Amino acid sequence: MKSIYEDAYQRDGLSFRERHIATLSALVAFGDTERQLRFQGHAAFRHGFTWRDIEEILIQNAAFCGFSRAINAALVLNEAYHAFEAEGEGV
């Protein structure tokens, strides 16, 4: 049995990267999604996103979703980035 995530991420039409950008943007727009944003942010870094990529996503969201939502998301994604970097040190 597939999960809803498997179905959403395996569809045609958008690349995996584009889907992840949409997911992160939706979480920023909703607000109050720290847990999901931390998880999805960490997954983005594992799949090759850089901090610069995340900054660009946050800038777009600041313009369309508001500065407060974007800056709150930046704090959570920064935590996810540092956790991701710390994992790499032990490898």
Side-chain angles (χ1 to χ4, degrees):
M1 176 193 317
K2 287 186 179 180
S3 74
I4 190 168
Y5 294 112
E6 288 174 311
D7 288 340
Y9 273 88
Q10 293 178 359
R11 296 177 51 80
D12 293 333
L14 295 176
S15 70
F16 180 81
R17 183 175 176 80
E18 291 167 332
R19 289 181 194 286
H20 219 88
I21 291 169
T23 299
L24 291 170
S25 293
L27 292 171
V28 173
F30 279 126
D32 197 29
T33 58
E34 290 82 5
R35 184 175 178 195
Q36 296 90 347
L37 195 54
R38 191 172 292 108
F39 176 83
Q40 292 296 333
H42 194 271
F45 295 124
R46 279 194 350 257
H47 286 94
F49 279 67
T50 65
W51 181 250
R52 179 80 174 123
D53 296 329
I54 298 299
E55 285 177 337
E56 291 301 320
I57 293 168
L58 291 168
I59 289 167
Q60 288 297 311
N61 278 274
F64 291 94
C65 303
F67 179 78
S68 296
R69 295 234 168 137
I71 199 69
N72 288 335
L75 295 172
V76 173
L77 290 168
N78 189 46
E79 290 174 12
Y81 181 69
H82 288 296
F84 171 76
E85 280 189 321
E87 284 180 5
E89 290 176 8
V91 176

